[in-house]
Short mmCIF file of all heavy atoms in Angstrom, two decimals:
data_model
loop_
_atom_site.label_atom_id
_atom_site.label_comp_id
_atom_site.label_asym_id
_atom_site.label_seq_id
_atom_site.Cartn_x
_atom_site.Cartn_y
_atom_site.Cartn_z
N ARG A 42 6.62 21.14 -12.21
CA ARG A 42 6.73 21.72 -13.55
C ARG A 42 6.51 23.23 -13.51
O ARG A 42 7.20 23.98 -14.17
CB ARG A 42 5.72 21.09 -14.50
CG ARG A 42 6.15 19.77 -15.04
CD ARG A 42 5.19 19.32 -16.09
NE ARG A 42 5.60 18.04 -16.63
CZ ARG A 42 4.88 17.34 -17.48
NH1 ARG A 42 3.71 17.80 -17.89
NH2 ARG A 42 5.32 16.20 -17.93
N LYS A 43 5.54 23.65 -12.72
CA LYS A 43 5.25 25.08 -12.61
C LYS A 43 6.37 25.79 -11.85
O LYS A 43 6.80 26.88 -12.23
CB LYS A 43 3.91 25.30 -11.92
CG LYS A 43 3.52 26.77 -11.81
CD LYS A 43 2.21 26.92 -11.09
CE LYS A 43 1.10 26.85 -12.09
NZ LYS A 43 -0.20 27.22 -11.51
N LYS A 44 6.85 25.16 -10.79
CA LYS A 44 7.87 25.78 -9.94
C LYS A 44 9.19 25.95 -10.69
O LYS A 44 9.88 26.95 -10.54
CB LYS A 44 8.08 24.93 -8.69
CG LYS A 44 9.04 25.53 -7.70
CD LYS A 44 9.10 24.69 -6.44
CE LYS A 44 10.04 25.31 -5.42
NZ LYS A 44 10.09 24.54 -4.19
N PHE A 45 9.56 24.97 -11.51
CA PHE A 45 10.82 25.00 -12.24
C PHE A 45 10.61 25.16 -13.74
O PHE A 45 11.33 24.58 -14.54
CB PHE A 45 11.63 23.74 -11.95
CG PHE A 45 12.01 23.58 -10.51
CD1 PHE A 45 11.40 22.62 -9.72
CD2 PHE A 45 12.97 24.40 -9.95
CE1 PHE A 45 11.74 22.47 -8.40
CE2 PHE A 45 13.32 24.26 -8.62
CZ PHE A 45 12.71 23.30 -7.84
N ALA A 46 9.64 25.98 -14.13
CA ALA A 46 9.31 26.16 -15.54
C ALA A 46 10.46 26.80 -16.32
O ALA A 46 10.62 26.54 -17.51
CB ALA A 46 8.05 27.00 -15.67
N SER A 47 11.25 27.62 -15.67
CA SER A 47 12.32 28.32 -16.38
C SER A 47 13.65 27.56 -16.38
O SER A 47 14.65 28.07 -16.88
CB SER A 47 12.54 29.70 -15.74
OG SER A 47 12.95 29.55 -14.40
N ALA A 48 13.66 26.35 -15.85
CA ALA A 48 14.90 25.56 -15.79
C ALA A 48 15.33 25.13 -17.19
O ALA A 48 14.50 24.86 -18.06
CB ALA A 48 14.71 24.34 -14.91
N GLN A 49 16.64 25.09 -17.40
CA GLN A 49 17.17 24.65 -18.69
C GLN A 49 17.42 23.14 -18.63
O GLN A 49 17.52 22.55 -17.56
CB GLN A 49 18.45 25.38 -19.00
CG GLN A 49 18.24 26.86 -19.22
CD GLN A 49 19.54 27.58 -19.52
OE1 GLN A 49 20.61 27.01 -19.44
NE2 GLN A 49 19.43 28.85 -19.85
N ASN A 50 17.56 22.54 -19.81
CA ASN A 50 17.80 21.10 -19.92
C ASN A 50 16.72 20.29 -19.22
O ASN A 50 16.99 19.38 -18.45
CB ASN A 50 19.18 20.72 -19.37
CG ASN A 50 20.30 21.38 -20.13
OD1 ASN A 50 20.17 21.63 -21.32
ND2 ASN A 50 21.38 21.67 -19.44
N VAL A 51 15.48 20.62 -19.47
CA VAL A 51 14.35 19.94 -18.85
C VAL A 51 13.78 18.92 -19.82
O VAL A 51 13.58 19.22 -21.00
CB VAL A 51 13.26 20.97 -18.44
CG1 VAL A 51 12.05 20.26 -17.88
CG2 VAL A 51 13.81 21.96 -17.46
N TYR A 52 13.54 17.73 -19.35
CA TYR A 52 12.90 16.70 -20.16
C TYR A 52 11.39 16.79 -19.96
O TYR A 52 10.91 16.73 -18.84
CB TYR A 52 13.39 15.31 -19.77
CG TYR A 52 12.70 14.22 -20.53
CD1 TYR A 52 13.01 13.97 -21.85
CD2 TYR A 52 11.72 13.44 -19.93
CE1 TYR A 52 12.38 12.98 -22.56
CE2 TYR A 52 11.08 12.44 -20.62
CZ TYR A 52 11.42 12.22 -21.94
OH TYR A 52 10.78 11.23 -22.64
N ARG A 53 10.67 16.95 -21.03
CA ARG A 53 9.21 17.03 -20.97
C ARG A 53 8.60 15.77 -21.57
O ARG A 53 8.90 15.41 -22.70
CB ARG A 53 8.70 18.24 -21.76
CG ARG A 53 9.23 19.55 -21.25
CD ARG A 53 8.17 20.22 -20.46
NE ARG A 53 8.67 21.52 -20.03
CZ ARG A 53 8.43 22.04 -18.87
NH1 ARG A 53 7.70 21.39 -18.01
NH2 ARG A 53 8.90 23.21 -18.53
N VAL A 54 7.76 15.12 -20.82
CA VAL A 54 7.06 13.94 -21.30
C VAL A 54 5.86 14.39 -22.13
O VAL A 54 5.12 15.28 -21.71
CB VAL A 54 6.59 13.07 -20.11
CG1 VAL A 54 5.79 11.88 -20.58
CG2 VAL A 54 7.78 12.63 -19.30
N PRO A 55 5.65 13.79 -23.30
CA PRO A 55 4.46 14.14 -24.09
C PRO A 55 3.19 13.83 -23.30
O PRO A 55 3.13 12.87 -22.54
CB PRO A 55 4.55 13.24 -25.32
CG PRO A 55 5.98 12.82 -25.40
CD PRO A 55 6.50 12.83 -23.99
N GLY A 56 2.18 14.64 -23.44
CA GLY A 56 0.92 14.41 -22.75
C GLY A 56 0.64 15.44 -21.67
O GLY A 56 -0.46 15.47 -21.13
N GLY A 57 1.64 16.25 -21.35
CA GLY A 57 1.44 17.33 -20.40
C GLY A 57 0.95 16.84 -19.05
O GLY A 57 1.55 15.99 -18.42
N ARG A 58 -0.18 17.37 -18.62
CA ARG A 58 -0.73 17.02 -17.30
C ARG A 58 -1.58 15.74 -17.34
O ARG A 58 -2.00 15.26 -16.29
CB ARG A 58 -1.59 18.17 -16.78
CG ARG A 58 -0.78 19.40 -16.51
CD ARG A 58 -1.64 20.47 -15.94
NE ARG A 58 -0.83 21.67 -15.74
CZ ARG A 58 -1.28 22.77 -15.23
NH1 ARG A 58 -2.53 22.87 -14.85
NH2 ARG A 58 -0.50 23.81 -15.09
N LEU A 59 -1.81 15.22 -18.53
CA LEU A 59 -2.64 14.02 -18.65
C LEU A 59 -1.98 12.80 -18.00
O LEU A 59 -2.65 12.04 -17.29
CB LEU A 59 -2.93 13.73 -20.13
CG LEU A 59 -3.79 12.52 -20.42
CD1 LEU A 59 -5.19 12.74 -19.83
CD2 LEU A 59 -3.88 12.26 -21.90
N LEU A 60 -0.70 12.60 -18.21
CA LEU A 60 -0.03 11.43 -17.64
C LEU A 60 0.01 11.45 -16.11
O LEU A 60 -0.31 10.43 -15.48
CB LEU A 60 1.38 11.29 -18.23
CG LEU A 60 1.43 10.81 -19.67
CD1 LEU A 60 2.85 10.75 -20.16
CD2 LEU A 60 0.78 9.44 -19.79
N PRO A 61 0.39 12.57 -15.48
CA PRO A 61 0.35 12.57 -14.01
C PRO A 61 -1.07 12.40 -13.46
O PRO A 61 -1.27 11.73 -12.45
CB PRO A 61 0.92 13.93 -13.61
CG PRO A 61 1.69 14.39 -14.78
CD PRO A 61 1.05 13.77 -15.98
N ALA A 62 -2.05 12.98 -14.14
CA ALA A 62 -3.44 12.83 -13.70
C ALA A 62 -3.89 11.37 -13.82
O ALA A 62 -4.55 10.83 -12.92
CB ALA A 62 -4.35 13.75 -14.50
N ALA A 63 -3.53 10.73 -14.92
CA ALA A 63 -3.89 9.32 -15.10
C ALA A 63 -3.19 8.45 -14.07
O ALA A 63 -3.79 7.53 -13.51
CB ALA A 63 -3.53 8.86 -16.52
N GLY A 64 -1.92 8.75 -13.80
CA GLY A 64 -1.18 8.00 -12.78
C GLY A 64 -1.80 8.16 -11.40
O GLY A 64 -1.90 7.20 -10.64
N ALA A 65 -2.22 9.39 -11.07
CA ALA A 65 -2.86 9.63 -9.77
C ALA A 65 -4.18 8.88 -9.68
O ALA A 65 -4.50 8.29 -8.64
CB ALA A 65 -3.07 11.12 -9.55
N LEU A 66 -4.95 8.89 -10.75
CA LEU A 66 -6.24 8.19 -10.76
C LEU A 66 -6.04 6.68 -10.60
O LEU A 66 -6.74 6.04 -9.80
CB LEU A 66 -6.99 8.49 -12.06
CG LEU A 66 -8.34 7.80 -12.21
CD1 LEU A 66 -9.31 8.29 -11.14
CD2 LEU A 66 -8.90 8.06 -13.59
N ILE A 67 -5.09 6.13 -11.31
CA ILE A 67 -4.82 4.69 -11.20
C ILE A 67 -4.33 4.35 -9.79
O ILE A 67 -4.72 3.33 -9.21
CB ILE A 67 -3.81 4.24 -12.27
CG1 ILE A 67 -4.49 4.33 -13.65
CG2 ILE A 67 -3.29 2.85 -12.02
CD1 ILE A 67 -3.54 4.19 -14.82
N SER A 68 -3.49 5.22 -9.22
CA SER A 68 -3.02 4.98 -7.85
C SER A 68 -4.17 5.00 -6.86
O SER A 68 -4.22 4.18 -5.93
CB SER A 68 -1.99 6.05 -7.46
OG SER A 68 -0.85 5.93 -8.26
N LEU A 69 -5.11 5.93 -7.04
CA LEU A 69 -6.28 5.98 -6.17
C LEU A 69 -7.13 4.72 -6.31
O LEU A 69 -7.64 4.19 -5.32
CB LEU A 69 -7.13 7.21 -6.47
CG LEU A 69 -6.60 8.53 -5.93
CD1 LEU A 69 -7.45 9.68 -6.44
CD2 LEU A 69 -6.59 8.51 -4.42
N LEU A 70 -7.27 4.24 -7.54
CA LEU A 70 -8.05 3.01 -7.75
C LEU A 70 -7.38 1.82 -7.06
O LEU A 70 -8.06 0.98 -6.47
CB LEU A 70 -8.21 2.74 -9.25
CG LEU A 70 -9.12 3.72 -9.99
CD1 LEU A 70 -9.11 3.42 -11.48
CD2 LEU A 70 -10.54 3.67 -9.44
N PHE A 71 -6.06 1.75 -7.14
CA PHE A 71 -5.35 0.68 -6.41
C PHE A 71 -5.51 0.84 -4.91
O PHE A 71 -5.68 -0.13 -4.19
CB PHE A 71 -3.87 0.68 -6.77
CG PHE A 71 -3.54 -0.01 -8.07
CD1 PHE A 71 -2.73 0.60 -9.00
CD2 PHE A 71 -4.04 -1.27 -8.36
CE1 PHE A 71 -2.42 -0.02 -10.19
CE2 PHE A 71 -3.74 -1.91 -9.55
CZ PHE A 71 -2.93 -1.28 -10.46
N ALA A 72 -5.43 2.08 -4.43
CA ALA A 72 -5.53 2.32 -2.98
C ALA A 72 -6.90 1.93 -2.45
O ALA A 72 -7.03 1.50 -1.31
CB ALA A 72 -5.25 3.79 -2.68
N LEU A 73 -7.92 2.08 -3.26
CA LEU A 73 -9.28 1.73 -2.82
C LEU A 73 -9.49 0.22 -2.71
O LEU A 73 -10.46 -0.22 -2.10
CB LEU A 73 -10.31 2.32 -3.77
CG LEU A 73 -10.42 3.84 -3.73
CD1 LEU A 73 -11.37 4.33 -4.83
CD2 LEU A 73 -10.90 4.31 -2.37
N GLN A 74 -8.58 -0.56 -3.27
CA GLN A 74 -8.74 -2.01 -3.28
C GLN A 74 -7.94 -2.72 -2.18
O GLN A 74 -7.91 -3.94 -2.13
CB GLN A 74 -8.33 -2.57 -4.64
CG GLN A 74 -9.23 -2.08 -5.76
CD GLN A 74 -8.79 -2.60 -7.10
OE1 GLN A 74 -7.96 -3.49 -7.20
NE2 GLN A 74 -9.36 -2.05 -8.15
N ILE A 75 -7.30 -1.98 -1.31
CA ILE A 75 -6.50 -2.64 -0.27
C ILE A 75 -7.40 -3.22 0.82
O ILE A 75 -8.54 -2.79 1.00
CB ILE A 75 -5.48 -1.68 0.37
CG1 ILE A 75 -6.19 -0.59 1.15
CG2 ILE A 75 -4.54 -1.11 -0.65
CD1 ILE A 75 -5.30 0.04 2.19
N LYS A 76 -6.85 -4.16 1.53
CA LYS A 76 -7.56 -4.73 2.66
C LYS A 76 -7.43 -3.79 3.85
O LYS A 76 -6.45 -3.07 3.99
CB LYS A 76 -6.97 -6.09 3.01
CG LYS A 76 -7.10 -7.10 1.91
CD LYS A 76 -6.39 -8.37 2.25
CE LYS A 76 -6.43 -9.30 1.06
NZ LYS A 76 -5.52 -10.41 1.20
N LEU A 77 -8.41 -3.80 4.70
CA LEU A 77 -8.44 -2.90 5.85
C LEU A 77 -7.26 -3.16 6.79
O LEU A 77 -6.67 -2.21 7.32
CB LEU A 77 -9.77 -3.05 6.60
CG LEU A 77 -10.12 -1.95 7.58
CD1 LEU A 77 -10.10 -0.59 6.91
CD2 LEU A 77 -11.46 -2.21 8.21
#
Side-chain angles (χ1 to χ4, degrees):
R42 279 187 179 173
K43 182 181 271 190
K44 184 175 182 179
F45 298 108
S47 62
Q49 294 179 353
N50 298 329
V51 176
Y52 177 75
R53 300 258 183 218
V54 177
R58 295 183 183 182
L59 180 64
L60 287 178
L66 179 64
I67 291 169
S68 295
L69 283 173
L70 291 175
F71 279 131
L73 291 174
Q74 296 178 12
I75 67 158
K76 297 175 186 167
L77 196 55

